[in-house]
Amino acid sequence: MNILVINCGSSSLKYQLIDSATEAVLAKGLCERIGIDGSVLTHTPAGKDKVKIETPMPNHTVAVKLVIDALTNPDHGVVKSLDEINAVGHRVVHGGEKFASSVVINDEVMKAIEECNDLAPLHNPANLIGINSCREIMPNVPMVAVFDTAFHQTMPEKAYLYGLPYEYYEKYKVRRYGFHGTSHDYVSARAAEILGKTRNDLKIIVCHLGNGGSVSAVDHGKCVDTSMGLTPLEGIIMGTRSGSIDPAICDFICQKENLTPAQMNNVLNKKSGVLGMSRVSSDFRDIEAAANDGNQLARVTLDAFYYSVAKYIGAYAAAMNGVDAIAFTAGVGENNISGRVEIAKYLGYLGTEIDLEKNNVRGEDRVISTEASKVALLCVPTNEELAIARQTAALVTF
Ligand code: ADP
């Protein structure tokens, strides 16, 4: 079965066509600047050259149509016709409390996703536009929504409630939801598999460290806590997001700098994190290079980032009363060799020992701790698209 995986943003659309039997990626691509001048589709068929198609995309429906044309094109296509696209899996950012797992999309589901728009005003409306466009162009193809929040729905109340008046939860559903759930689910399962064990027997901490980052505690297969909150702003220091700060800072800075709450929100999301701290870049490679060149602010920024991750690992080891495995994933987690060493330096009290030779790896499934280590450390590349394709195939088959 061929599954088209769609990740739709407000002006972009990423896709992969995956053969669910072999799990091979047949083609992948990206539509950029949808609804803006200079729209472009970059299509990469497996084993063939990349194709760039520059043509106006006034809306997402046109973009989806172009994607289907690219996938079925006689030269750079990978299937003969739309009939060979058997299902579509959509990444949906926020499922609120309504969705604890993936679901086959129908009108009722669309309405329920729309009801979550308030919780993710930048993401959910774009996801819905993507689904609507696909339904318009492929009315007979079954579609599945896979939510970033679903895996975290097993968190107990004590983990998801904030120390706020309860009425905000009752009235507005203000609580911790967590994000990157598809990745935390996939990576924790994969970590168990690499260790030759079942996830239901393990306490696993997943550190998803990308441009956005989050840490989660997966206790016997269930997420019991995660660092992101009502929005993806909470938790560890990130590329451009502040992570957790004293909430009183917002009012303080708003007054000093004459900012509105919306402007402050923008600072916290786009101008903070390692970018704001280092004044170098949001990209960890640039900051590492600057630190190695003697830039002290870059060095302190990296130290603060590793420290913030280590503190969450400590918190989640406490939350689960122990930990068997700690898995590093996403851009920084998979590739930043020295970063994993720096984080591991904080974990000696757990009996953790990193193996410097095994750790000398980028983007590869591997145990990176010594045989003697009491807690297994792992590098586990995430694959959210494959996870979405698997969940889609499972729901469409049954
Ligand atoms: P997102 O999906 O949140 O945009 P990714 O998981 O793709 O993020 O991670 C992107 C980040 O990975 C980049 O900002 C970059 O800093 C980091 N990264 C990629 N390769 C390396 C590397 N070799 N060393 C350190 N960081 C890296």
Side-chain angles (χ1 to χ4, degrees):
M1 183 187 289
N2 293 330
I3 315 279
L4 179 61
V5 176
I6 299 271
N7 182 353
C8 198
S10 57
S11 67
S12 71
L13 186 154
K14 281 191 225 159
Y15 63 92
Q16 282 194 11
L17 187 68
I18 297 177
D19 177 344
S20 66
T22 61
E23 301 200 328
V25 177
L26 305 177
K28 62 181 170 185
L30 168 69
C31 300
E32 291 168 286
R33 301 182 64 86
I34 301 170
I36 313 172
D37 277 354
S39 318
V40 58
L41 160 63
T42 311
H43 174 73
T44 313
K48 290 187 203 165
D49 287 343
K50 194 181 271 190
V51 191
K52 255 187 183 229
I53 300 161
E54 288 174 42
T55 180
M57 293 180 219
N59 55 51
H60 288 76
T61 307
V62 175
V64 172
K65 176 115 195 15
L66 285 166
V67 169
I68 302 295
D69 288 348
L71 289 168
T72 54
N73 183 285
D75 295 327
H76 52 256
V78 290
V79 290
K80 287 202 192 74
S81 74
L82 195 54
D83 293 345
E84 291 178 45
I85 297 174
N86 307 99
V88 183
H90 291 273
R91 175 188 182 221
V92 179
V93 167
H94 219 305
E97 288 185 327
K98 294 175 201 290
F99 299 103
S101 58
S102 303
V103 64
V104 175
I105 296 172
N106 57 28
D107 291 343
E108 210 180 305
V109 167
M110 291 297 280
K111 202 163 153 275
I113 296 174
E114 206 177 321
E115 281 164 15
C116 300
N117 278 0
D118 238 14
L119 295 169
L122 296 178
H123 294 102
N124 267 32
N127 300 154
L128 280 167
I129 288 170
I131 300 173
N132 274 325
S133 298
C134 286
R135 290 178 100 197
E136 206 176 311
I137 290 170
M138 299 173 264
N140 300 318
V141 179
M143 304 206 184
V144 168
V146 179
F147 300 92
D148 259 27
T149 49
F151 182 62
H152 303 303
Q153 276 297 299
T154 48
M155 280 188 289
E157 277 176 304
K158 66 179 177 189
Y160 72 66
L161 285 178
Y162 287 116
L164 289 170
Y166 192 66
E167 68 190 85
Y168 298 147
Y169 172 61
E170 286 178 313
K171 284 204 276 193
Y172 312 118
K173 294 280 173 225
V174 170
R175 51 159 284 179
R176 173 182 313 286
Y177 290 97
F179 298 87
H180 297 136
T182 310
S183 176
H184 287 286
D185 184 12
Y186 174 86
V187 170
S188 55
R190 192 67 199 111
E193 204 172 68
I194 295 166
L195 293 172
K197 301 194 172 150
T198 73
R199 188 169 67 168
N200 290 352
D201 293 333
L202 295 173
K203 297 173 182 179
I204 304 174
I205 296 174
V206 177
C207 304
H208 177 111
L209 312 178
N211 198 15
S214 62
V215 183
S216 72
V218 184
D219 194 353
H220 294 81
K222 285 195 173 140
C223 176
V224 291
D225 210 341
T226 191
S227 59
M228 282 180 167
L230 171 75
T231 76
L233 188 53
E234 195 184 346
I236 59 172
I237 295 171
M238 301 176 221
T240 62
R241 295 188 197 119
S242 63
S244 297
I245 57 165
D246 178 348
I249 292 170
C250 296
D251 185 49
F252 184 85
I253 298 293
C254 280
Q255 295 207 31
K256 294 282 182 200
E257 298 267 321
N258 205 15
L259 299 180
T260 63
Q263 287 170 323
M264 187 69 221
N265 211 26
N266 192 49
V267 170
L268 294 174
N269 273 294
K270 305 246 171 82
K271 298 185 177 163
S272 301
V274 294
L275 168 70
M277 289 177 82
S278 69
R279 296 183 175 145
V280 172
S281 164
S282 63
D283 193 304
F284 285 80
R285 286 165 290 199
D286 300 339
I287 303 171
E288 224 180 324
N292 290 339
D293 277 351
N295 181 327
Q296 207 37 40
L297 209 46
R299 173 60 57 204
V300 173
T301 299
L302 289 176
D303 287 348
F305 170 73
Y306 301 137
Y307 181 60
S308 80
V309 176
K311 283 199 293 184
Y312 270 99
I313 294 174
Y316 292 163
M320 295 191 287
N321 192 18
V323 53
D324 300 305
I326 301 169
F328 295 95
T329 193
V332 182
E334 292 167 27
N335 297 304
N336 190 344
I337 295 168
S338 60
R340 291 191 299 250
V341 173
E342 291 305 314
I343 293 168
K345 283 184 185 164
Y346 290 101
L347 309 177
Y349 69 99
L350 291 169
T352 299
E353 227 176 67
I354 194 160
D355 183 321
L356 295 178
E357 214 164 288
K358 289 185 192 159
N359 182 51
N360 198 9
V361 68
R362 289 201 165 96
E364 211 178 278
D365 283 324
R366 191 187 279 189
V367 175
I368 55 168
S369 48
T370 62
E371 301 256 326
S373 183
K374 291 209 179 89
V375 179
L377 300 175
L378 300 101
C379 172
V380 181
T382 192
N383 193 339
E384 285 158 293
E385 290 79 12
L386 177 59
I388 292 173
R390 282 181 184 167
Q391 292 182 35
T392 303
L395 281 174
V396 168
T397 314
F398 293 111

